[in-house]
Amino acid sequence: MAALRALFIAGAGTEIGKTYVTAALTRRLRDQGRAVTALKPLASGVPAIDDPAFADSDTAILLAAQGLPVTAETVEACSPWRFSAPLAPDQAAAREGRALSLDALVAWCAARLASHPAPEDEGADGKTVLVEGVGGLMSPITADATGLDWLDRLGLPALLVTGSYLGAISHALTAIETLRAHGVPLVGVVVSESASAPTPPETVADAIARRIAAPVAVLHRGAGFPDALAGLI
Ligand SMILES: Nc1ncnc2c1ncn2[C@@H]1O[C@H](COP(=O)(O)OP(=O)(O)OP(=O)(O)O)[C@@H](O)[C@H]1O
Ligand SMILES: C[C@H](N)[C@H](N)CCCCCC(=O)O
Ligand SMILES: [Mg+2]
């Protein structure tokens, strides 16, 4: 199977493991000799670069997984839209007197995707581009648009990340049904084990897998990207 050129990492919710999974996938693909660019184009709850807390930001975690240092240039190239308030991006932007345009976000992502030759066309020179979404699938990103509109416009296949907390099954199935209704190809689902959950993550993964056609895999706490999905990306 040809390697995927680009993938959107969507969440069934926020704080669910998208960055953890994207970083694990980045390391996994790089270990296989693949070149990877991991992007978090839009991020809220991001401290200033010179704040020690920046080390815990999605941007810093994704740069580290790519083997890149944190500099003004690498941060800007990974996450051009950063807002400090830990809120939905439209609200976080408003707190700073700023506004985000979906057209500008889509154009920036499209340019980054166009600047990367497809792996199957360019061999070792090609890069796989991973785009982490923000919040849940339909979290607001501008006054009018949600993350689903962003994904729709990019036309990328999705990897859905969910948790294993009580309620995660419904959150995941709702997101999967929404992706299906919008014609977004679903490459797979990762159940990233929640810190506190009443059942093993395998129970959650089984409950989702019985109801959908795409593959579902578990990522245990602290573990690497699941083998069952790595071969599909
Ligand atoms: N499988 C896992 N093993 C260990 N820690 C995990 C795992 N999944 C998630 N976490 C931790 O849970 C927290 C939330 O995960 P993460 O930051 O990846 O969520 P997110 O979906 O990217 O959130 P956001 O919506 O803010 O982008 C982080 O501290 C992360 O390290
Ligand atoms: C601050 C947080 N970690 C994310 N960056 C933003 C989550 C926005 C969620 C909005 C919502 O869907 O209600
Ligand atoms: Mg994240």
Side-chain angles (χ1 to χ4, degrees):
M1 177 183 294
L4 284 177
R5 175 180 178 230
L7 187 63
F8 190 97
I9 290 76
T14 189
E15 297 285 323
I16 212 161
K18 295 184 302 296
T19 303
Y20 187 92
V21 168
T22 306
L25 175 57
T26 299
R27 285 191 293 269
R28 173 64 180 256
L29 294 177
R30 291 182 72 223
D31 286 349
Q32 294 171 357
R34 299 256 299 271
V36 182
T37 294
L39 304 173
K40 173 82 182 189
L42 171 58
S44 57
V46 189
I49 299 179
D50 56 4
D51 186 325
F54 186 83
D56 297 327
S57 68
D58 289 10
T59 309
I61 290 167
L62 296 183
L63 289 175
Q66 295 168 83
L68 295 172
V70 170
T71 67
E73 290 73 27
T74 59
V75 167
E76 195 65 19
C78 180
S79 303
W81 285 275
R82 306 180 303 280
F83 302 107
S84 60
L87 299 171
D90 60 329
Q91 295 174 32
R95 292 261 177 122
E96 299 178 19
R98 300 163 63 193
L100 168 69
S101 132
L102 179 62
D103 284 346
L105 179 63
V106 169
W108 184 88
C109 293
R112 292 303 304 269
L113 291 167
S115 70
H116 290 83
E120 62 269 30
D121 295 339
E122 302 292 334
D125 291 340
K127 280 204 172 192
T128 295
V129 183
L130 307 177
V131 181
E132 182 189 336
V134 63
L137 182 62
M138 291 191 70
S139 290
I141 57 171
T142 73
D144 303 319
T146 71
L148 177 62
D149 299 314
W150 177 24
L151 172 54
D152 254 337
R153 290 272 301 271
L154 291 179
L156 297 179
L159 178 71
L160 184 76
V161 178
T162 190
S164 62
Y165 58 87
L166 187 64
I169 299 169
S170 176
H171 291 167
L173 292 174
T174 303
I176 291 161
E177 178 61 17
T178 304
L179 290 170
R180 191 201 59 74
H182 283 256
V184 178
L186 179 62
V187 173
V189 178
V190 178
V191 177
S192 193
E193 184 177 9
S194 303
S196 168
T199 61
E202 286 79 4
T203 307
V204 173
D206 286 348
I208 297 168
R210 277 192 281 116
R211 294 171 169 87
I212 69 168
V216 183
V218 166
L219 199 167
H220 287 281
R221 298 294 293 176
F225 193 80
D227 292 342
L229 289 177
L232 301 175
I233 295 166

